[in-house]
Amino acid sequence: MTIAVIYGGSRENGNTEILTKHVIQGMVTENIFLRDYNIEPIIDMRHSEEGFQERNDDYNSIIDRILPHDILIFSTPIYWYSMSGTMKNFIDRWSHTIRDPKYPDFKNKMASKKAFVMAVGGDDPYIKGLPMIQQFNYIFDFIGIDFEGYIIGKGNKAEDVLQDKDALFAASQIHNKLKLRNRK
């Protein structure tokens, strides 16, 4: 079992990253910080004769990094009651990849994966973050990924999430679940 963590936060060592690190502590993971890459927004060409056009950015290199892994952890702060714009751009581009001849089995390969979502927000995130979790659920359902679980934590200022005992407990539970799988 291999794990790729896709970090969507713009701040290094932000609350979501801290929470996610509690989940994966001591595990070998491939860590992908979307903030370090240029990911252009999608230009929707589904219905044009030319189809999608290649974008000159780093997106495909990220896809190449996540495809070999069994488990994907999507780690995003809750920005304006949804995932970060960087994470959304990354996922929006899947529409192109599904139709890209360089990735003929993209949807099938993604459907073999399991996913978790880690999110931290500051404005009543346990309630106001739930629509974002539902959005991930729909995304995973469409692509065929098994949605294994999520954690919503509370934090606004630096390291606030360390005061969220429920989120830290949930992180330890997912950590243990992943460790058990790794032993099999």
Side-chain angles (χ1 to χ4, degrees):
M1 171 198 75
T2 61
I3 302 170
V5 183
I6 303 144
Y7 291 97
S10 60
R11 186 173 41 157
E12 190 173 337
N13 295 315
N15 283 305
T16 309
E17 191 174 322
I18 289 169
L19 180 62
T20 304
K21 286 179 179 177
H22 277 275
V23 171
I24 62 170
Q25 65 186 340
M27 296 180 191
V28 175
T29 60
E30 175 141 11
N31 298 310
I32 301 163
F33 295 91
L34 296 178
R35 67 179 172 261
D36 295 339
Y37 295 91
N38 175 31
I39 303 169
E40 294 291 324
I42 192 166
I43 297 174
D44 187 354
M45 304 288 288
R46 286 176 294 163
H47 307 293
S48 69
E49 284 186 32
E50 327 59 83
F52 285 100
Q53 302 300 305
E54 193 64 37
R55 303 301 306 265
N56 187 20
D57 65 4
D58 300 321
Y59 169 79
N60 284 348
S61 69
I62 300 167
I63 290 298
D64 292 339
R65 288 178 66 189
I66 70 168
L67 282 175
H69 296 285
D70 307 305
I71 294 175
L72 304 177
I73 298 175
F74 294 83
S75 175
T76 181
I78 302 172
Y79 288 159
W80 288 100
Y81 313 102
S82 189
M83 67 185 78
S84 70
T86 306
M87 182 71 76
K88 185 71 167 81
N89 274 346
F90 173 68
I91 292 173
D92 281 352
R93 292 285 296 279
W94 293 4
S95 294
H96 179 182
T97 310
I98 288 170
R99 294 165 179 81
D100 190 333
K102 290 186 297 220
Y103 298 97
D105 294 326
F106 177 71
K107 196 169 179 182
N108 287 334
K109 287 180 180 177
M110 292 296 279
S112 71
K113 300 180 186 324
K114 300 186 181 318
F116 294 88
V117 174
M118 307 295 130
V120 178
D123 182 17
D124 197 13
Y126 313 116
I127 299 298
K128 295 178 180 179
L130 290 176
M132 180 195 67
I133 297 300
Q134 188 63 51
Q135 181 183 23
F136 272 106
N137 189 44
Y138 291 141
I139 291 164
F140 298 153
D141 184 54
F142 177 81
I143 205 85
I145 296 171
D146 288 333
F147 191 9
E148 294 283 307
Y150 68 92
I151 302 172
I152 296 177
K154 184 174 176 107
N156 196 17
K157 295 179 183 168
E159 299 184 358
D160 272 357
V161 75
L162 294 173
Q163 305 309 310
D164 186 341
K165 300 303 178 199
D166 292 336
L168 294 175
F169 177 76
S172 70
Q173 296 299 317
I174 291 177
H175 173 82
N176 291 337
K177 184 177 184 178
L178 292 172
K179 278 179 64 175
L180 283 174
R181 282 197 181 153
N182 210 14
R183 289 185 188 142
K184 293 180 181 180

